[in-house]
Amino acid sequence: MEVFKEFTIEAAHWLPNVAEGHKCRRMHGHSFRVAVHVSGPLDEQMGWVVDFAEIKTAFQAIEDEIDHRCLNEVEGLENPTSENLARWLWRRLLPALPALSRIVVRETCTSGCIYSGEAAPGH
């Protein structure tokens, strides 16, 4: 079974590696929608895969680090594409959420990235 919790991040960025004149080379902002998915067996006693509060707690420090910020100024997000943001989020969430199964980043209503990540170190 897979469950998810969604978050909204308001942040600015620009893409430094696109060609001069590309609209994304200029500073702009997004209301990023981030869905954190966790997979695992249903705990028959609790009736859930994971407590949604556990996902929220794991995400809180990350949200504080990137919400209402310029993503380019965050270490590891110097080229903050949706793909790089999803991978960056994965690496930070995995220690607290070892059953993490995917990160979905939507930067607009019609564009985004789904990342299923890499395994935890030692697994």
Side-chain angles (χ1 to χ4, degrees), residues 44-57:
E44 292 299 331
Q45 180 180 355
M46 297 304 296
W48 62 33
V49 174
V50 64
D51 186 344
F52 288 120
E54 191 175 329
I55 299 172
K56 183 177 181 180
T57 298

Side-chain angles (χ1 to χ4, degrees), residues 36-99:
V36 177
H37 291 247
V38 176
S39 293
L42 180 66
D43 181 309
E44 292 299 331
Q45 180 180 355
M46 297 304 296
W48 62 33
V49 174
V50 64
D51 186 344
F52 288 120
E54 191 175 329
I55 299 172
K56 183 177 181 180
T57 298
F59 196 79
Q60 187 62 56
I62 295 165
E63 184 175 8
D64 292 345
E65 188 176 358
I66 62 176
D67 189 42
H68 284 80
R69 309 276 183 185
C70 176
L71 297 180
N72 301 73
E73 297 171 357
V74 175
E75 185 175 341
L77 288 176
E78 295 81 9
N79 181 26
T81 62
S82 289
E83 295 87 343
N84 284 335
L85 178 57
R87 185 173 56 182
W88 185 89
L89 290 166
W90 178 278
R91 291 175 176 167
R92 276 152 185 79
L93 286 169
L94 193 59
L97 298 172

